[in-house]
Amino acid sequence: MERALIVVHRPAASGGRRVSVHRDGGAEILGLAHSDHDLIVFLEAAGLSSPAELLDDPGWVEWRGGGPHEWGWGPRGGGCPPQADSTEATAREL
């Protein structure tokens, strides 16, 4: 299988995931996405038509270091920091 054109990299410690597009033998970083919407906006700006339809197609998008549509714990990503366990946090608060 050929390498995917779009790579959504592992979640950053601060939240979000770097997005790059690979074409013409090179790679271009499109930005840091915190949601599917951000990713779609980046892909539209890169000239891809109907990018929402491509997100779940492994022939187009490679999700590295995390599952598809997982955006990390940052300000818009929701969830807990990777090193925190919500059970431990609750126990400390009691």
Side-chain angles (χ1 to χ4, degrees):
M1 180 175 165
E2 288 186 32
R3 186 181 181 115
L5 176 65
I6 298 115
V7 177
V8 181
H9 299 268
R10 65 180 170 80
S14 60
R17 297 173 78 160
R18 186 168 43 102
V19 178
S20 59
V21 62
H22 300 257
R23 58 181 161 202
D24 302 324
E28 174 187 356
I29 296 172
L30 300 180
L32 185 66
H34 289 89
S35 65
D36 283 2
H37 175 75
D38 290 350
L39 178 56
I40 290 166
V41 169
F42 291 154
L43 300 181
E44 286 174 341
L48 292 162
S49 60
S50 304
E53 297 173 12
L54 306 176
L55 299 187
D56 293 314
D57 182 344
W60 279 95
V61 179
E62 179 182 339
W63 298 83
R64 292 186 184 168
H69 314 286
E70 293 177 3
W71 297 102
W73 68 274
R76 293 182 1 203
C80 294
Q83 63 273 34
D85 179 309
S86 60
T87 305
E88 291 176 13
T90 302
R92 282 193 303 262
E93 293 171 3
L94 295 176

